[in-house]
Amino acid sequence: MCGFPTPTDTVTPRHPRGQERVITANRQTSWAFADAYVAEDDALHWARDRARDAGLRSVSPGTGAALRLLAASVDAKAVAEIGTGCGVSGIHLLHGMRPDGVLTTVDQEPEHQQSARQAFRDAGFAGNRARFIPGRALDVLPRLADAGYDLVFCDGDRQEYQDYLAESLRLLRPGGLVAFEGMFANGRTVDSGPQPTEVLRLRELVRAVRESTELVSSLLPVGDGLLCVVKR
């Protein structure tokens, strides 16, 4: 079994010819530029402010742009989101979905969903474009339809990500995609020192996805790391 990449593997990946590629200040600046590539509108700024006031993390602009692109690339009509927050990721997903698409978003905190509902309205989306379900994700997901979704976005309890993967693969149609936010855990995922259970679970998820012959995956260096997995 292949182990998780070490910090050295991650920082200095090798060229095909065996030459090492150092992460320079210019490359870091380029990544920062890419992560802020998409300009966000007033509705997104409002949602970010509400999330900040509530002590919630929001996806970065770069991650939001990636979510828009992923939703558009699968021509998403039905998307499930785990972790509504105050609507930042949901707005990006809705922008990428088909005009008649519906976002089903799950969160344990109904008051956060009320903020998201307002943010979606401010962004110009009709009320029927989103379905809000309050509750714990692992209680709600089993009630959703098999093969009924084009994309699932996971930004909930990171200790439950492997369970989300199993549920997502059931929910997705063939060719559908599931994305996991926060895979870098602020750099701790590749840190060789002792790590909390949450980080160990993220490593286990990366290994399981990478070693599966039934999944196609990529770990995108946007925001805090976005793991994208396609169901064959």
Side-chain angles (χ1 to χ4, degrees):
M1 178 182 293
C2 294
F4 194 88
T6 66
T8 301
D9 291 332
T10 302
V11 173
T12 57
R14 291 185 178 274
H15 286 297
R17 295 181 180 179
Q19 296 177 338
E20 291 189 342
R21 195 180 195 182
V22 177
I23 296 178
T24 64
N26 282 343
R27 287 187 70 199
Q28 291 176 331
T29 300
S30 296
W31 284 341
F33 176 80
D35 202 41
Y37 174 71
V38 171
E40 296 191 327
D41 58 18
D42 289 343
L44 277 162
H45 288 308
W46 184 90
R48 285 192 183 283
D49 289 344
R50 299 292 78 70
R52 189 179 304 111
D53 293 345
L56 301 176
R57 59 181 179 240
S58 298
V59 299
S60 74
T63 301
L67 293 175
R68 290 192 192 204
L69 180 66
L70 293 171
S73 68
V74 296
D75 195 27
K77 184 174 182 179
V79 173
E81 177 186 47
I82 301 169
T84 309
C86 292
V88 175
S89 54
I91 290 175
H92 281 291
L93 287 165
L94 284 164
H95 276 304
M97 295 169 65
R98 291 168 46 168
D100 60 343
V102 175
L103 173 69
T104 297
T105 183
V106 180
D107 200 289
Q108 294 191 79
E109 302 296 338
E111 62 269 27
H112 297 161
Q113 291 189 320
Q114 288 302 318
S115 294
R117 194 187 301 272
Q118 179 63 51
F120 293 173
R121 282 198 298 265
D122 292 347
F125 297 110
N128 62 358
R129 292 293 310 280
R131 176 172 62 146
F132 295 88
I133 304 179
R136 179 173 172 264
L138 293 179
D139 294 332
V140 174
L141 295 177
R143 306 203 305 263
L144 302 183
D146 292 5
Y149 294 84
D150 305 298
L151 189 154
V152 179
F153 174 56
C154 303
D155 190 16
D157 185 342
R158 293 172 186 174
Q159 296 195 53
E160 296 180 344
Y161 269 15
Q162 289 218 56
D163 296 317
Y164 295 169
L165 175 63
E167 285 294 334
S168 297
L169 295 179
R170 178 185 62 80
L171 295 175
L172 288 171
R173 61 168 175 78
L177 185 149
V178 55
F180 296 87
E181 160 64 0
M183 296 303 300
F184 294 161
N186 294 316
R188 292 176 298 166
T189 305
V190 294
D191 192 322
S192 59
Q195 298 298 333
T197 301
E198 174 184 297
V199 174
L200 300 181
R201 294 285 174 82
L202 293 179
R203 291 176 178 173
E204 291 170 1
L205 175 64
V206 170
R207 290 192 189 99
V209 166
R210 186 178 58 186
E211 294 168 4
S212 172
T213 59
E214 299 179 353
L215 304 173
V216 178
S217 64
S218 181
L219 182 54
L220 305 183
V222 293
D224 199 23
L226 188 69
L227 178 63
C228 302
V229 183
V230 174
K231 176 182 178 180
R232 288 186 184 273

